[in-house]
Amino acid sequence: DEGLGWRSLEVNHITGSGFIWFVDAFEWLCLSGLFICTFFSVSIWRKDDATTFGARWNSLSLFMGLLCILEFVAEILRFEGFK
């Protein structure tokens, strides 16, 4: 018994953890892109019609996009600290 089962279990755990980390980081990056694109899209829309979507809600979209970028950076830093 060379511990082959435990080694394969450790490899699966490391691979699964890395894949989950990659998906989480990609998710934050995509969310930030969506929120920032929404902000610019609504900003352009408000030039024509300022009654349909408030400026405060639009600012909230930008704020959430910046928070998503901050969370992405924190995710990268956690990964670098994990190494």
Side-chain angles (χ1 to χ4, degrees):
D1 186 27
E2 299 172 5
L4 184 62
W6 283 110
R7 279 190 257 161
S8 64
L9 184 65
E10 288 176 1
V11 167
N12 285 335
H13 175 71
I14 291 169
T15 305
S17 297
F19 185 70
I20 289 171
W21 173 82
F22 178 76
V23 169
D24 284 345
F26 184 71
E27 177 183 356
W28 288 117
L29 197 59
C30 287
L31 276 173
S32 67
L34 286 172
F35 280 125
I36 291 172
C37 284
T38 301
F39 171 76
F40 286 117
S41 175
V42 171
S43 294
I44 293 169
W45 176 264
R46 284 185 50 83
K47 290 177 184 176
D48 296 332
D49 183 16
T51 61
T52 56
F53 201 75
R56 289 183 183 173
W57 286 109
N58 196 22
S59 300
L60 179 66
S61 177
L62 179 64
F63 179 70
M64 289 177 65
L66 294 175
L67 284 180
C68 287
I69 289 174
L70 182 67
E71 185 63 33
F72 173 74
V73 169
E75 191 82 29
I76 297 296
L77 291 175
R78 276 193 295 263
F79 178 72
E80 289 298 321
F82 180 71
K83 281 184 175 179

